[in-house]
Amino acid sequence: MVFGFIAGPDSQYAEFEADTCSAILDLPQCAAWVPDDSAVIKLLTHEAPPFVGAWCLIAIVAASMSTADGAILALGTVGAHNLARKFPCHISDKNLLHVARLAAIPFTLISCLMASFYAQTGYLLIVAFDIMLAGCVVPLFGMFYMGKPSPNAALAAVLGGSILRIIL
C-alpha cells in the first residue's frame, strides 16, 4: 500500500479543517489538510512488516541517542578545555579527560530536564543551531576584516548576536 493513501490527504483517515478561501463572504470554502504528526510511527507499527518496522524504529532511536550523545560530549569537552582551565584549580593534560567526563554530567542532567519538560526537542535543536548561526557567523566573518581581533571583542560579538537572536 502506498504511504500517501495511509496518511496523506487522500487517506480515509485524513483530517481537514475549514479554511476561508473567500474573504469577502467569510465562509469556509476550502479545507486545509491537517497532517498527522505520528504518521511515520503508525506506518511502521501497523502497515510495514514487523521486521522492517522494528528495525526502522530502532534506527530512529539510535540516531537520536547518537546525536544527543555527541552534543553532550562536545559540551563537556568544550567546558573542560575552555572553561575549567580558566579556574585556578590545577588541571593538567593528564586529568583533562577526567574533567571533561565530569563536566558532561551537568549537561546531561540539563538535557534530560529539557527533554522531559518540552515534548518537541527537534524544534529546540533547530533553534539552537539558529542561535549559534546568528551569534558566530558574523564574528567569524568580521575576524577576517579586522586588523587585530581580540578575545573580548569576539566574546562580546558572540553574546550580542546570540542575545539579539533570542530576543527577535
Side-chain angles (χ1 to χ4, degrees), residues 91-147:
I91 297 175
S92 65
D93 289 337
K94 283 185 166 183
N95 63 356
L96 188 61
L97 179 62
H98 184 66
V99 172
R101 289 177 179 166
L102 288 176
I105 293 172
F107 293 118
T108 304
L109 294 175
I110 291 169
S111 301
C112 289
L113 285 173
M114 287 179 68
S116 65
F117 289 119
Y118 195 80
Q120 297 175 344
T121 54
Y123 178 73
L124 292 177
L125 185 65
I126 293 170
V127 170
F129 281 122
D130 192 27
I131 291 170
M132 291 307 298
L133 181 72
C136 293
V137 168
V138 172
L140 183 66
F141 288 153
M143 173 187 68
F144 292 112
Y145 296 107
M146 292 298 296

Side-chain angles (χ1 to χ4, degrees), residues 147-159:
K148 186 177 177 187
S150 70
N152 291 335
L155 179 63
V158 168
L159 288 177

